[in-house]
Amino acid sequence: MHPVMNNSFQRDLGDGLVLRWSTAEDIERIATLHSFIHRANATEAPNSNAIRIIRAHMSGDYPLMGPQDFVLVEDTTKEDHPVVATACLWKQTWSYEGIPFSVGRPEWVATDPAYRNRGLVRALFEQLHARSEADGDLVQIITGIAYFYRQFGYEYALELEDRRATPLVLIPERSAEGPEPLTLREATPTDIPTIEALYQRRQSTSIVRDVPTHQQWLYEIDTWKKHPEWRHTFAFQMLVSAAGETIGFLASNAYRSGKTLVVWLLEFVDGVNIHSLMPAVLRALRAYGHALETTRPGIPAFQEISFSLGTTHPVHALLGPALDYPKEPAYAWYIRVKDLPAFLKHIAPVLERRLALSPVAGYSGELSMDFYRSGLRMRFEHGRLLDVEEWRTTLYGPEADSAFPPLVFLQILFGHRSIDELRHILPDIWISTEVRPLLLALFPTRPSCVFTWN
């Protein structure tokens, strides 16, 4: 077993601080740390919801991690050896236009305020990255706070969670007698094939997609019920027509933690007039939100429904500006690719397919990119990618064909931003006239919508 994956591994950080991987015996101490960190202020009671979530994620039933997947720092100089810093590693599979690749995902990053500015999070991430790479992950991802994870080699490179809001007071009331044309019912395990098919259809236009396992769907729909006191994250509801037919599904927060009910997924089967049904969907969500249990006492009254479906979702246009006003711009996934040549070789079939359908089909030659502190060179022959290697300009050698500041190329690679968009704000991006058609063919710009699962 690789040393960083061995749960007997320990690293002395000095001053009695020890870094190691977790066991089931650490659950309550990890939960205690997060219950104090995830509060609005220091006078607020410990966050009981954080305790429940940590217990659920470390239970052994959660599909993305288990009790041995936290890396932590404990203070051995104090009684009970309190946990003072943590991060965990989730395991997922994503795909790049149909080519799967495994990803390591750090989550639940926290440090006791009394122990900050000692480099503890950096030590945690060194272990997380080492373990993820030992597992064969080509990519690491995180949904983290602004700027912070740039210092560990991450770049914002994929759309994440746009926020639109529909005030309850603006939801149109029924204008006709008779039953609602649509109702909600709780999803069951037998609904998973329908949910999976509709989810895959939505992601079919994305460059990057996540590939959920059956266990992921099952956990949020049914497995969590083994320990309902720990709660779960998402409530999956099936959309049912007045005739009793299943015509779609949605996923919202399972509990309300503020004035907003967030809808994360919303899909309809083919042939449904979504425009005519949206008022009924809004009314059903309004009733559901009013009945929803809150995460803790003192939560503000229910006031709005927020749709976080991705900027290209058709529902936004159907609702119109009055019922779908932007609450904040879309955020972005942090993405880390330590070995770019290895990842580009992994997705070579996609790159070759793009070339074959482009104005530069059958290209033979080289493409060099200067990242200022590093770089790479790609070699093609008759449209096939022969090799990708690390490369640097030399004092009197040939110049690069293009240049990007460190990590910015990830935005191009994952289709997040176009070269022209980035060039507008980053003058140190440049591309030769000769290779511009090649780069545009290899790396098109197209939004991806990847569900967060958290």
Side-chain angles (χ1 to χ4, degrees):
M1 180 179 289
H2 192 283
V4 299
M5 298 176 66
N6 190 330
N7 283 85
S8 64
F9 165 83
Q10 290 194 357
R11 177 181 165 193
D12 186 351
L13 300 179
D15 298 323
L17 301 180
V18 174
L19 181 147
R20 62 176 176 82
W21 289 95
S22 63
T23 69
E25 285 70 36
D26 297 310
I27 292 175
E28 295 307 313
R29 292 187 302 144
I30 291 172
T32 296
L33 171 66
H34 284 277
S35 73
F36 282 95
I37 295 298
H38 298 288
R39 297 182 294 170
N41 56 68
T43 62
E44 203 173 74
N47 187 332
S48 59
N49 196 50
I51 293 175
R52 286 190 287 261
I53 295 173
I54 292 294
R55 288 172 178 168
H57 286 185
M58 297 186 72
S59 66
D61 288 328
Y62 193 64
L64 301 179
M65 67 167 291
Q68 298 182 326
D69 292 328
F70 264 96
V71 61
L72 60 87
V73 177
E74 60 182 350
D75 188 344
T76 62
T77 68
K78 293 188 175 181
E79 187 179 359
D80 297 330
H81 292 193
V83 172
V84 299
T86 75
C88 68
L89 186 65
W90 287 11
K91 298 293 295 183
Q92 291 183 253
T93 298
W94 282 11
S95 78
Y96 191 97
E97 291 196 356
I99 297 181
F101 59 95
S102 61
V103 298
R105 179 173 170 181
E107 286 293 343
W108 287 106
V109 182
T111 307
D112 184 318
Y115 293 80
R116 291 178 181 174
N117 300 311
R118 300 191 193 185
L120 299 186
V121 173
R122 184 169 297 278
L124 295 174
F125 268 71
E126 288 173 359
Q127 292 303 310
L128 290 174
H129 290 163
R131 181 168 176 173
S132 182
E133 291 159 14
D135 285 346
D137 300 334
L138 292 173
V139 176
Q140 287 79 41
I141 59 173
I142 190 170
T143 58
I145 59 176
Y147 177 77
F148 187 77
Y149 297 98
R150 289 184 183 275
Q151 63 188 314
F152 306 127
Y154 290 80
E155 172 66 293
Y156 289 114
L158 207 64
E159 181 181 300
L160 171 68
E161 294 180 4
D162 62 323
R163 296 292 177 94
R164 308 292 189 104
T166 300
L168 300 186
V169 296
L170 296 183
I171 293 175
E173 300 298 337
R174 292 178 60 200
S175 58
E177 297 295 330
E180 282 278 19
L182 176 146
T183 56
L184 305 180
R185 70 163 173 83
E186 183 180 352
T188 69
T190 59
D191 294 309
I192 291 176
T194 298
I195 293 171
E196 283 184 311
L198 293 177
Y199 183 73
Q200 290 169 5
R201 186 193 64 183
R202 168 60 49 206
Q203 287 205 313
S204 63
T205 60
S206 296
I207 290 176
V208 179
R209 313 166 198 176
D210 70 315
V211 186
T213 64
H214 180 79
Q215 286 71 27
Q216 283 175 252
W217 299 113
L218 187 63
Y219 181 86
E220 296 295 342
I221 290 171
D222 191 65
T223 307
W224 71 273
K225 295 175 182 177
K226 291 168 59 176
H227 294 283
E229 71 277 9
W230 293 342
R231 297 184 172 177
H232 61 134
T233 306
F234 303 104
F236 281 81
Q237 306 279 331
M238 306 308 292
L239 309 179
V240 181
S241 72
E245 298 176 334
T246 297
I247 57 174
F249 83 96
L250 63 82
S252 68
N253 284 358
Y255 303 89
R256 189 166 58 83
S257 59
K259 67 179 183 180
T260 305
L261 171 67
V262 184
V263 178
W264 303 98
L265 298 171
L266 175 60
E267 301 299 332
F268 294 83
V269 301
D270 292 337
V272 170
N273 187 326
I274 304 172
H275 181 263
S276 67
L277 288 177
M278 278 310 298
V281 172
L282 293 175
R283 290 191 292 270
L285 286 169
R286 180 179 60 188
Y288 176 75
H290 276 303
L292 202 59
E293 183 182 348
T294 58
T295 55
R296 63 184 188 278
I299 294 295
F302 181 32
Q303 299 178 33
E304 64 185 18
I305 299 166
S306 175
F307 291 98
S308 186
L309 305 171
T311 54
T312 60
H313 197 285
V315 162
H316 296 312
L318 294 177
L319 288 174
L323 293 175
D324 189 56
Y325 67 87
K327 199 169 183 181
E328 60 185 62
Y331 196 50
W333 286 89
Y334 281 107
I335 296 184
R336 175 182 182 265
V337 184
K338 181 182 179 181
D339 191 341
L340 260 177
F343 185 76
L344 290 167
K345 291 175 185 176
H346 184 72
I347 63 168
V350 172
L351 303 180
E352 293 170 354
R353 182 169 64 246
R354 289 172 176 172
L355 270 185
L357 299 174
S358 78
V360 288
Y363 175 82
S364 294
E366 295 185 351
L367 169 62
S368 56
M369 289 180 266
D370 185 359
F371 301 147
Y372 294 102
R373 294 183 177 181
S374 62
L376 61 81
R377 178 167 54 192
M378 307 173 71
R379 293 194 299 114
F380 296 87
E381 185 175 292
H382 304 303
R384 291 186 59 248
L385 180 59
L386 295 184
D387 193 23
V388 188
E389 60 185 354
E390 294 184 355
W391 174 85
R392 294 296 304 273
T393 57
T394 58
L395 181 60
Y396 298 110
E399 292 187 354
D401 300 312
S402 58
F404 302 89
L407 302 182
V408 170
F409 175 69
L410 293 179
Q411 298 194 47
I412 304 295
L413 171 60
F414 291 103
H416 185 51
R417 293 286 182 262
S418 72
I419 292 170
D420 289 339
E421 285 177 305
L422 292 170
R423 179 66 179 82
H424 183 70
I425 58 174
L426 298 171
D428 44 3
I429 291 177
W430 61 266
I431 300 163
S432 72
T433 303
E434 291 76 17
V435 304
R436 182 179 176 83
L438 179 62
L439 272 169
L440 293 178
L442 288 171
F443 305 111
T445 306
R446 190 164 73 247
S448 295
C449 185
V450 182
F451 190 35
T452 64
W453 295 98
N454 69 341

